[in-house]
Amino acid sequence: MNKIDRIKELIEILNRAAKAYYQESRELMSNLEYDALYDELCELEKETGIVYGNSPTVNVGYELLSELPKEAHESPMLSLDKTKEPEVLRSWLNGKEAILSWKLDGLTIVLTYKEGKLFKAVTRGNGEIGEVITNNARTFANIPSAIPFKGELVIRGEAVIRYSDFEKINASIEDVDAKYKNPRNLCSGSVRQLNNEITAKRNVNFYAFNLVKAEGRESVSVEADFNWLLEQGFDVVEYKKVTSDNIVETISWFADRITDEKNSMDLPSDGLVLTFDDIVYGRSLGRTAKFPRNAIAFKWADELAATRLLEVEWSPSRTGLINPVAIFEPVELEGTTVSRASLHNISILEGLELGIGDEISVYKANMIIPQVAENFTKTGDMVYPEHCPACGGATEIRMTNDVKALYCTNPLCSAKKIKLFSHFVSRDAMNVDGLSEATLDKMIEKGFLKELPDLFHLSDYAEEIKEMEGFGQKSCDNLLASIDKSRKVIMPNFIFSLGILNIGLANAKLICKEFNYDLERIRKASVEELTAIGGIGEVIAKTMMDYFSNEHNSEILDLLLKEVDLQIPETTAAEGSQSLVGKVFVVTGSVNHFKNRKELQAKIEELGGKVTGSVTGKTDYLINNDNTSSSSKNKKAKELNIPIITEEEFLRMIENFA
């Protein structure tokens, strides 16, 4: 294993161990093992001059901006000419060697390094002016914050989020409407965050595809540049060297990577890029008004299949939007059977002039997402439902941002209600056991549940519930007991349970703490008051204010408050001073006076302090009973002149001996 691969392996091992230790209160290795691996990583970083942004030796300061600054690129970033025909690529090569690589589908970024340090990161923007996202780029999983090359370096590459990470993030979002549509949208939003702590959690990766400038170094070939960038610690796009003889079979190799289940491509891609390997030759070709002549893009020739439209299914969501879905006779596409495709909105449906029974062609966009390509018969006689398929309420067509869409006008729509009740009873909200979406659907249908306060009156329907499928005397009693138990609820969990758009549990906690757990103050808070809270932006503040100013929501909240007993978190209600407000601690090693480090952390937070996992310039104290050890945290604390104290010294500090 080479040194760069070993660095990456150590980072993964150490970060996994740190997460288990600090967030899950379990140990994957001893402190001795951790420190040995940490020291090995430090030595390798020193030896190679490569330090990655996600290395535990680096502490990236999180930053909250009001807006992203803009900056003009030194030279315009042009688009590429493109083709879907492999033979066009063979002819284009004209006997020359070239590099065939993935055309990744993310956000193009330009990185500048000076004196071996990341100096600047700018998005492609419109090709001439981009947004400066330097501090966000520092949090990318695989961007080096330091490299061995000390001259000015400018490279271009693609920021992407893997399909596997995209699916994990979407799986963690309960609200269907809040899920991200595709990895590119998620990546674009993550890279351009005003709060780079959010970027850090999204596992954004960067793959270089063009070395623009390396001060004092002459670029001869693309492959040589790629190898040199690998030596500097960068990841580059996966590529193959090709000629006219093997270009067609190499395209097939890339295509197989997308459909191969065992060795599938985990990075989003919308095609390939072919670039002349000889850089001098490529530059000599110049460019057109629109495209450079040294490279060309290859877009996958979509596999089309003819079929017949059987029906359009209308799928309502929590927001009231009703999405059209095309149902057609099953066809084989890219190795799978396909029988449905989203039509997204009425504007697209009208553009295709669809009618039931029409002969259509379908394909998989980027070999993945089923789409309707063309309508051959174009009857255009589609009838839009006048009533919501979920609740029977009236529908209406609305024009939003020049797009027509169908909406349910019924504020009590069952599709909305099911999602709302499901969220209300979830574990981090009211925490009621025994109410699945299927059960809630039945109870809403039977009229047991119309508004959230009705949950606390389900005992009125105890006899009917016992007769429901899956219920009996015991399960009914358990459900009613769980509902009764949920009445005593901690305030942040209660606010989270209301289903306010963009308000997660963490945000609810922040807001409650800022307003000293005074619900009336929270209900009357202005956007200005809410945005003054660290971590709360204008979008969140506005949705919060809009929710509480809505008359219907206010009435429901008043009814709920008659049913619940709001609790203030124990750490806030506990007597004693907030003597540690503003103080930042790091805890390491074994503890003697507390059950575990988690209990010690809870004590610090109870007194207003904060506990972090790494020693940084913002740390006020490192708590370590072995304050003379040569552990990495002790070394860092000494370097930064941060006091290292024992448990006893900490207890004396808070005047509360255990």
Side-chain angles (χ1 to χ4, degrees):
M1 181 182 293
N2 64 39
K3 291 178 181 178
I4 294 176
D5 287 341
R6 178 57 176 165
I7 287 173
K8 292 178 179 178
E9 182 182 55
L10 287 169
I11 289 171
E12 184 182 348
I13 293 170
L14 291 169
N15 283 346
R16 192 165 60 241
K19 181 182 178 184
Y21 185 84
Y22 291 108
Q23 297 178 24
E24 301 165 7
S25 296
R26 61 190 182 93
E27 294 188 12
L28 300 183
M29 60 180 69
S30 67
N31 282 348
L32 189 66
E33 289 174 295
Y34 183 94
D35 289 341
L37 294 176
Y38 184 94
D39 290 341
E40 182 187 351
L41 176 60
C42 289
E43 285 302 313
L44 283 171
E45 289 177 342
K46 186 177 179 182
E47 212 174 302
T48 61
I50 297 168
V51 183
Y52 288 101
N54 64 338
S55 170
T57 66
V58 175
N59 295 291
V60 177
Y62 292 133
E63 176 182 64
L64 185 63
L65 301 175
S66 58
E67 63 177 13
L68 292 172
K70 297 189 172 50
E71 182 174 297
H73 296 295
E74 287 186 18
S75 59
M77 298 180 65
L78 302 177
S79 300
L80 295 177
D81 198 2
K82 52 185 174 290
T83 181
K84 292 186 176 183
E85 302 297 328
E87 287 302 325
V88 171
L89 293 190
R90 190 204 294 271
S91 173
W92 184 88
L93 280 171
N94 196 27
K96 299 288 185 180
E97 290 187 332
I99 298 299
L100 187 64
S101 62
W102 290 113
K103 184 176 182 294
L104 297 179
D105 191 20
L107 199 67
T108 299
I109 307 290
V110 183
L111 300 181
T112 301
Y113 284 74
K114 291 185 178 181
E115 298 179 357
K117 304 288 185 184
L118 177 60
F119 174 73
K120 184 171 58 181
V122 184
T123 67
R124 181 185 187 279
N126 63 7
E128 295 185 359
I129 298 174
E131 293 174 306
V132 180
I133 48 106
T134 310
N135 220 44
N136 288 0
R138 296 186 201 281
T139 71
F140 289 6
N142 65 338
I143 281 187
S145 58
I147 59 174
F149 180 69
K150 302 307 176 189
E152 184 176 359
L153 172 68
V154 181
I155 60 174
R156 292 173 181 169
E158 199 81 356
V160 293
I161 288 178
R162 295 187 179 97
Y163 279 114
S164 52
D165 289 322
F166 167 75
E167 287 161 5
K168 286 177 189 173
I169 291 169
N170 258 359
S172 69
I173 301 172
E174 291 185 4
D175 186 350
V176 174
D177 297 321
K179 291 180 185 288
Y180 295 95
K181 303 300 181 190
N182 54 58
R184 189 188 189 286
N185 286 358
L186 174 59
C187 182
S188 178
S190 301
V191 168
R192 300 172 62 254
Q193 283 288 332
L194 297 178
N195 182 353
N196 73 330
E197 186 172 5
I198 297 172
T199 309
K201 294 175 181 176
R202 300 280 173 81
N203 199 28
V204 180
N205 281 263
F206 175 86
Y207 293 89
F209 58 68
N210 178 219
L211 196 166
V212 179
K213 174 185 178 182
E215 188 178 12
R217 180 186 180 276
E218 185 180 356
S219 288
V220 177
S221 78
V222 174
E223 186 171 39
D225 281 355
F226 279 179
N227 288 331
W228 185 79
L229 286 171
L230 287 168
E231 291 171 4
Q232 300 302 312
F234 295 97
D235 287 332
V236 300
V237 289
E238 186 177 22
Y239 71 92
K240 295 280 186 181
K241 198 165 186 177
V242 295
T243 64
S244 301
D245 295 332
N246 68 354
I247 179 72
V248 175
E249 65 183 69
T250 307
I251 291 171
S252 296
W253 180 88
F254 278 100
D256 289 343
R257 283 291 311 281
I258 295 176
T259 55
D260 185 347
E261 291 184 10
K262 292 184 179 178
N263 187 33
S264 64
M265 171 70 165
D266 197 23
L267 300 175
S269 165
D270 57 356
L272 304 171
V273 175
L274 186 63
T275 310
F276 286 118
D277 189 40
D278 186 331
I279 291 174
V280 175
Y281 173 75
R283 285 175 183 160
S284 72
L285 299 174
R287 69 185 211 188
T288 68
K290 289 185 176 180
F291 311 117
R293 288 196 174 102
N294 70 322
I296 185 172
F298 175 80
K299 306 288 282 187
W300 301 113
D302 301 313
E303 181 184 338
L304 295 169
T307 182
R308 188 169 65 90
L309 184 66
L310 300 176
E311 64 174 304
V312 169
E313 181 182 281
W314 296 88
S315 176
S317 66
R318 186 179 67 82
T319 61
L321 176 66
I322 306 176
N323 298 296
V325 179
I327 311 297
F328 44 82
E329 292 177 347
V331 290
E332 288 291 318
L333 282 176
E334 312 292 353
T336 61
T337 302
V338 179
S339 61
R340 39 193 302 131
S342 174
L343 293 167
H344 303 290
N345 53 58
I346 288 179
S347 290
I348 289 176
L349 194 149
E350 287 181 346
L352 289 165
E353 299 180 59
L354 284 174
I356 303 302
D358 279 353
E359 298 298 322
I360 61 174
S361 64
V362 294
Y363 71 105
K364 279 189 176 180
N366 295 332
M367 303 173 73
I368 297 168
I369 304 165
Q371 302 281 340
V372 175
E374 190 175 356
N375 182 8
F376 300 111
T377 44
K378 297 187 177 181
T379 58
D381 58 1
M382 184 64 62
V383 177
Y384 309 129
E386 295 180 356
H387 300 281
C388 172
C391 70
T395 63
E396 69 177 16
I397 296 174
R398 298 176 191 166
M399 181 73 80
T400 307
N401 297 326
D402 297 325
V403 173
K404 279 186 186 177
L406 189 69
Y407 284 85
C408 172
T409 61
N410 178 13
L412 304 178
C413 175
S414 57
K416 302 176 189 176
K417 290 296 177 187
I418 292 167
K419 293 297 181 186
L420 181 60
F421 272 101
S422 179
H423 176 81
F424 186 71
V425 301
S426 62
R427 185 174 60 182
D428 287 335
M430 298 303 292
N431 192 22
V432 177
D433 290 328
L435 283 174
S436 64
E437 279 199 8
T439 300
L440 288 168
D441 189 13
K442 291 174 186 174
M443 289 182 172
I444 291 169
E445 187 180 336
K446 289 176 180 292
F448 301 167
L449 299 173
K450 296 183 182 69
E451 297 285 1
L452 294 179
D454 295 339
L455 182 79
F456 299 100
H457 298 279
L458 277 181
S459 56
D460 296 346
Y461 304 99
E463 294 305 316
E464 290 95 324
I465 291 172
K466 290 173 194 173
E467 301 302 318
M468 285 175 59
E469 185 179 347
F471 277 90
Q473 181 69 52
K474 187 174 181 181
S475 54
C476 178
D477 289 345
N478 288 342
L479 171 61
L480 297 177
S482 182
I483 291 170
D484 199 47
K485 183 181 177 183
S486 76
R487 291 175 185 273
K488 188 174 282 191
V489 58
I490 296 172
M491 190 185 291
N493 298 74
F494 175 72
I495 288 177
F496 172 65
S497 76
L498 299 175
I500 305 171
L501 190 63
N502 299 319
I503 302 297
L505 183 56
N507 288 334
K509 287 179 178 178
L510 279 175
I511 292 166
C512 286
K513 188 173 182 181
E514 180 67 21
F515 287 93
N516 200 28
Y517 298 87
D518 186 333
L519 185 57
E520 284 310 304
R521 282 183 63 202
I522 294 171
R523 291 177 73 168
K524 295 173 183 175
S526 66
V527 169
E528 290 74 19
E529 288 176 303
L530 290 164
T531 52
I533 305 170
I536 302 298
E538 190 170 340
V539 172
I540 293 173
K542 191 172 186 313
T543 55
M544 188 85 171
M545 192 188 77
D546 288 347
Y547 178 88
F548 287 121
S549 61
N550 179 280
E551 188 177 344
H552 177 73
N553 292 340
S554 191
E555 289 173 1
I556 295 302
L557 181 55
D558 288 337
L559 291 172
L560 282 172
L561 291 174
K562 293 177 182 177
E563 305 292 345
V564 301
D565 178 10
L566 292 184
Q567 305 287 301
I568 294 174
E570 287 182 15
T571 53
T572 303
E575 292 183 2
S577 70
Q578 291 281 287
S579 57
L580 301 182
V581 169
K583 299 296 182 184
V584 179
F585 291 80
V586 173
V587 180
T588 189
S590 58
V591 293
N592 303 319
H593 296 277
F594 294 86
K595 291 179 183 177
N596 49 43
R597 286 192 299 272
K598 198 167 184 179
E599 188 179 67
L600 173 52
Q601 177 179 338
K603 185 64 180 177
I604 293 168
E605 291 174 346
E606 173 188 329
L607 297 173
K610 181 180 179 183
V611 179
T612 63
S614 304
V615 177
T616 72
K618 295 181 180 179
T619 305
D620 292 296
Y621 296 97
L622 170 64
I623 300 177
N624 186 355
N625 284 322
D626 186 3
N627 56 7
T628 61
S629 79
S630 58
S631 71
S632 56
K633 288 187 175 64
N634 276 23
K635 287 178 185 176
K636 190 71 173 178
K638 288 172 183 175
E639 285 174 15
L640 298 173
N641 293 317
I642 291 166
I644 304 171
I645 61 173
T646 62
E647 265 181 286
E648 286 80 3
E649 289 171 311
F650 168 74
L651 291 169
R652 283 199 294 273
M653 178 189 295
I654 63 173
E655 299 177 348
N656 182 24
F657 280 95

